[in-house]
Amino acid sequence: MSDINQNLLSLLTKVSAILAYQNCSAYVVGGFVRDWLLDRQTADVDIAVCGDALIIAQDVAEAVDGRYVLLDEANRVARVVVADGQMWHLDFSSFSGGIQNDLARRDFTIDAMAMELQGLISGSAQLIDPFSGESDLRERLVRAVNQGVFTEDGARLLRGVRLAGELGFKIEPRTEDLIQKDCRKTKQVPGERLREELVRILVLPGSGGMVRYLDKLGLLIEIVPELKELKGAEQPKEHYWDVFNHSVETMAAAEFLIRESLWKY
């Protein structure tokens, strides 16, 4: 576990004081906990609060001279952006019925861990890990929290692949089976969300292999149905692959150009 950046620690201390004054329980959850356990630096902090996250985020933004950004009014999710030598993103979400219930609604075990905010600051926090996410971190596995995670949000299908690629992890076999079973759920996801995940996959080193993995899981054709026509389509005899495989290999060879060109969009 890495030490928390001093600027971030100071910022979180201010946030904790605001929440304590409001008698509001708060937990650091998800990706920040995962990355902290992996010794990965991150500028994104997810904070789950037992209260109205939108109001709390507005109060925090005002107190720390940050910028308030509404992310999801229906689900009560908001962001506070703070520039303090570095750009910090504090994402606030509401929970009720206990932090365990909040973690049970998340997608993968490695993102379903939490620590009390005040305990994290003081160095005394105990890891809350009801789905053995820390064990999966050690095993370098991406595992679904439950069998319904993809039916609840089809974007998670691509997010699992992206997380595995970014972290150098593997998707465990039963989760792979769930992805293949639910791959058509991508049809229900807004195009901009699919595009965001796909671009983040394509800019990873070895993106050609990632595209083949998407195809293995049944996701590629669901996202780009036009590619189905390329499978088995023969080329002139001087070409070894069919049109589909030739396209994938071309993408693999051009992955550097993909990374350099897609970032600006």
Side-chain angles (χ1 to χ4, degrees):
M1 293 178 289
S2 59
D3 293 332
I4 299 176
N5 178 285
Q6 287 302 309
N7 288 343
L8 177 59
L9 186 62
S10 175
L11 176 60
L12 293 179
T13 300
K14 294 177 183 176
V15 172
S16 181
I18 295 168
L19 296 174
Y21 180 78
Q22 298 183 6
N23 196 29
C24 177
S25 301
Y27 297 84
V28 178
V29 297
F32 180 85
V33 177
R34 177 199 70 220
D35 289 342
W36 186 60
L37 292 172
L38 289 174
D39 287 328
R40 297 176 83 233
Q41 294 296 321
T42 180
D44 301 324
V45 185
D46 294 326
I47 301 174
V49 295
C50 187
D52 191 328
L54 303 191
I55 295 175
I56 290 169
Q58 291 175 31
D59 292 343
V60 169
E62 182 177 353
V64 302
D65 195 24
R67 179 166 59 91
Y68 171 83
V69 181
L70 176 62
L71 297 180
D72 187 337
E73 185 171 11
N75 292 306
R76 316 307 283 174
V77 182
R79 172 173 295 169
V80 177
V81 181
V82 181
D84 181 16
Q86 183 174 347
M87 196 74 73
W88 305 105
H89 291 168
L90 309 181
D91 287 359
F92 291 86
S93 60
S94 300
F95 73 87
S96 60
I99 190 61
Q100 300 264 357
N101 288 349
D102 179 80
L103 297 178
R105 295 188 294 105
R106 295 178 179 269
D107 45 14
F108 304 106
T109 62
I110 57 175
D111 282 341
M113 297 180 284
M115 303 180 78
E116 261 194 306
L117 176 59
Q118 181 55 47
L120 177 68
I121 294 167
S122 65
S124 62
Q126 297 294 313
L127 182 67
I128 302 170
D129 182 16
F131 302 102
S132 302
E134 187 177 23
S135 174
D136 284 338
L137 283 182
R138 289 194 295 267
E139 298 296 326
R140 304 179 70 81
L141 291 176
V142 175
R143 184 193 309 273
V145 167
N146 59 62
Q147 293 189 346
V149 296
F150 302 121
T151 59
E152 294 168 7
D153 183 358
R156 291 170 167 177
L157 293 157
L158 280 178
R159 185 171 185 272
V161 176
R162 191 253 301 167
L163 274 176
E166 288 180 346
L167 299 173
F169 284 17
K170 291 184 178 180
I171 299 178
E172 65 93 26
R174 281 173 293 186
T175 301
E176 281 190 331
D177 291 342
L178 285 175
I179 292 174
Q180 290 174 321
K181 178 176 74 72
D182 293 332
C183 64
R184 293 193 175 185
K185 298 295 181 182
T186 56
K187 302 291 189 186
Q188 303 170 9
V189 182
E192 61 271 17
R193 293 188 66 202
L194 289 178
R195 176 187 175 281
E196 179 183 359
E197 291 291 350
L198 185 58
V199 167
R200 292 181 68 176
I201 290 170
L202 290 177
V203 299
L204 293 172
S207 58
M210 297 300 293
V211 171
R212 288 194 176 280
Y213 190 44
L214 289 172
D215 184 49
K216 172 189 172 183
L217 295 172
L219 293 170
L220 187 62
I221 299 302
E222 294 298 329
I223 300 167
V224 190
E226 294 81 1
L227 291 176
K228 185 175 183 180
E229 301 300 321
L230 303 184
K231 288 195 170 187
E234 296 184 357
Q235 298 194 91
K237 60 183 180 180
E238 58 266 23
H239 293 284
Y240 179 78
W241 295 293
D242 64 11
V243 177
F244 175 81
N245 284 290
H246 184 88
S247 299
V248 171
E249 290 301 319
T250 301
M251 180 177 293
E255 67 182 41
F256 174 77
L257 294 177
I258 294 170
R259 292 199 300 273
E260 292 299 304
S261 61
L262 286 180
W263 70 270
K264 58 189 175 185
Y265 297 105

